[in-house]
Amino acid sequence: MHRLSEGITHRAWYRLLPAAWLAFAVGCGGLEAGAEASEAPSTEARVPQEMGPITPSAPGAVPPAEAAPAAQARPWFHRVGGPQDDLGTGLAVDGSGHVSLVWLSTPRQDADRAPVEGEQLALSLARYDSEGQRLWTREFPRNRVDAPRVVASPGGDLFLSGNAFLYAIDFGLGAASDGFLVKFSPEGEPLWQRRAGQKVYATVADASGGVFVAAEEWTPDGLLPVLAHHDAQGAFVWTRQLDVVQRGTELRAAARMSSGQWLLAGRLEGVLTVDGQRFGAPGEPSLLLLALGGDGRLSWGKAWQGVDAHVSGLKVDPAGGAVLVGAFSGDLTWGGSRLSGPGAFVLSTGAEGKERWARALPCGQAPAAPAVALDGEGSVAAVCGATLSQYSPEGEQRNEQVLTPGECSEGNCPVVATALDFVPGHGLALAGLQRHGDAVNGDQEAFLRLLAP
């Protein structure tokens, strides 16, 4: 069985999540306000702008000065990869609206499909401008890499992270193994790399070219969460280890607040004490949300005991609250709402973890770990599998749509989205995978697209 980050074959659509996540997969109807179909392997679908009205003038009259019409954002689509299975695993948007994509290429590895000529094993990183023009691509041969992600600083620096298990990978700075963190310039040149624990799960860029990392080490006593803040040159601003946690603990989502605090969220199994404050309860799971100050010390924290939730995405809103997405089992009561699992969720908090609103998140027939993005006004976009949902900052649903293919000449091209983010003034960027052709001879491609508002 492939992991999500190792490619998804035609028999592994339902394996995007652990078995406990799959019972909530339901189909949803809808149309996507996205790009029209294009025909080249890596193309853009454009929506032409319409001319404004023409107002006749009297002979000899000077036409009144008019403001130039605002440029309309145009959707675009890129299909990337080759004959092998390809999967977009992460995207990032910088302060200039440039969009970066990381994807994995994996030769076919199941008994039902024969190898194809030209297939390869690689990790690729590419950068596009906000209009969808590709600026550069970097390709790195690999053996096994798990969960590669990319985040961007406002100035355009990129941080690529992932887990190189069994074999190292070389980004141009020597062998990178275990949990790795590599900084690239806006032009795609590797600047420095660091080991980030046995496995790295979350990275968040700061405003000064540095990066926060949430990882874990494996010890004889159990899993040891490791947190660090690197400056722009890769030196530690601070680093710390939390107490050993019980297996089943997953502190794997992080975000940065405008105050400079770092948020860390995830599933806690049992009890964890952080800077003298105790969270959780023996023998049961909790949903944990921690805020760390600029020195890495605990500012505040909150645990919801008895909540069995796996957090896969975390963003902060302009008012200082947070939005979390993930999957859960059992019942989840939040802000006056009660959700019944198993299912996927989107939750909103106010300051210091105060419960605000909760919604069940539809995922369609091919669920994947949910992802979330917020725009500058706090509006929420969340994607799970093939279903995109959008909410107001107050939790009112604005839209729900099943993602249609960006291009499809085969008649049936299932789509699974794995990452998304807003491109200010342009729309919503999405990445993931798209199947082309039949189950045996078809091709699984990675994609990057922009849905214009």
Side-chain angles (χ1 to χ4, degrees):
M1 179 180 74
H2 297 313
R3 300 186 183 204
L4 172 61
S5 59
E6 287 299 307
I8 303 168
T9 70
H10 70 284
R11 288 195 164 214
W13 284 104
Y14 60 91
R15 298 178 183 178
L16 288 165
L17 294 176
W21 289 35
L22 301 175
F24 64 81
V26 294
C28 300
L31 296 176
E32 178 183 355
E36 297 290 333
S38 58
E39 297 181 1
S42 181
T43 58
E44 305 159 29
R46 299 293 194 184
V47 176
Q49 293 181 344
E50 295 182 358
M51 297 180 60
I54 300 176
T55 303
S57 302
V62 178
E66 294 183 1
Q72 297 179 1
R74 297 176 293 180
W76 47 262
F77 175 85
H78 285 284
R79 170 180 171 181
V80 298
Q84 66 282 327
D85 289 342
D86 300 286
L87 169 65
T89 61
L91 67 82
V93 179
D94 66 22
S96 299
H98 293 124
V99 185
S100 297
L101 169 71
V102 58
W103 75 91
L104 289 176
S105 300
T106 303
R108 299 176 175 184
Q109 296 179 348
D110 56 80
D112 295 334
R113 299 184 301 163
V116 291
E117 183 178 356
E119 65 180 11
Q120 63 177 348
L121 192 64
L123 181 153
S124 300
L125 180 66
R127 192 169 188 245
Y128 299 79
D129 66 18
S130 58
E131 300 296 329
Q133 300 296 323
R134 187 172 61 187
L135 303 176
W136 51 258
T137 300
R138 303 287 183 267
E139 183 180 284
F140 308 100
R142 69 181 180 93
N143 285 284
R144 287 289 182 270
V145 175
D146 177 57
R149 301 176 180 87
V150 62
V151 297
S153 71
D157 293 318
L158 301 178
F159 297 93
L160 178 66
S161 64
N163 304 305
F165 57 98
L166 300 181
Y167 305 96
I169 183 170
D170 191 347
F171 296 100
L173 300 171
S177 59
D178 298 334
F180 60 81
L181 172 68
V182 187
K183 182 176 182 178
F184 290 85
S185 71
E187 295 72 36
E189 299 302 320
L191 301 177
W192 52 258
Q193 71 184 27
R194 300 289 183 268
R195 182 183 181 275
Q198 195 75 36
K199 279 199 170 184
V200 58
Y201 291 109
T203 53
V204 184
D206 66 21
S208 305
V211 63
F212 171 86
V213 179
E216 70 182 20
E217 295 283 7
W218 302 344
T219 74
D221 297 326
L223 302 177
L224 188 68
V226 178
L227 311 174
H229 183 195
H230 296 273
D231 66 16
Q233 288 71 48
F236 285 119
V237 178
W238 56 264
T239 183
R240 67 174 299 179
Q241 297 177 344
L242 302 182
D243 292 346
V244 170
V245 294
Q246 294 184 27
R247 188 168 298 277
T249 296
E250 301 173 353
L251 304 181
R252 300 179 179 179
R256 183 178 184 272
M257 303 183 71
S258 58
S259 63
Q261 293 178 326
W262 304 99
L263 285 183
L264 181 66
R267 184 182 192 273
L268 173 64
E269 184 69 33
V271 176
L272 175 65
T273 300
V274 182
D275 296 336
Q277 188 169 343
R278 179 185 169 101
F279 301 97
E284 68 177 21
S286 300
L287 173 60
L288 182 64
L289 182 62
L290 302 177
L292 306 172
D295 57 357
R297 304 291 293 177
L298 181 69
S299 295
W300 56 266
K302 192 164 184 179
W304 290 265
Q305 296 179 14
V307 175
D308 189 1
H310 304 260
V311 180
S312 56
L314 171 65
K315 296 293 183 180
V316 297
D317 64 32
V323 177
L324 304 85
V325 293
F328 71 104
S329 300
D331 292 333
L332 173 57
T333 300
W334 189 276
S337 299
R338 182 173 180 175
L339 309 181
S340 295
F345 65 79
V346 54
L347 308 176
S348 172
T349 76
E352 298 192 4
K354 182 179 180 181
E355 298 174 15
R356 295 186 62 219
W357 54 265
R359 300 289 182 268
L361 193 61
C363 295
Q365 296 295 332
V372 64
L374 272 68
D375 67 10
E377 297 179 354
S379 297
V380 178
V383 67
C384 184
T387 305
L388 174 67
S389 303
Q390 294 177 285
Y391 306 88
S392 72
E394 295 74 31
E396 297 176 358
Q397 187 164 37
R398 290 176 169 171
N399 186 35
E400 180 182 302
Q401 63 192 74
V402 175
L403 297 171
T404 56
E407 61 174 47
C408 180
S409 60
E410 297 83 1
N412 182 30
C413 299
V415 176
V416 174
T418 58
L420 77 167
D421 202 354
F422 283 98
V423 183
H426 287 78
L428 185 66
L430 286 166
L433 67 91
Q434 188 169 302
R435 291 282 307 174
H436 295 265
D438 60 47
V440 175
N441 299 311
D443 189 17
Q444 177 181 301
E445 298 277 46
F447 74 82
L448 176 67
R449 70 187 304 177
L450 181 82
L451 304 182

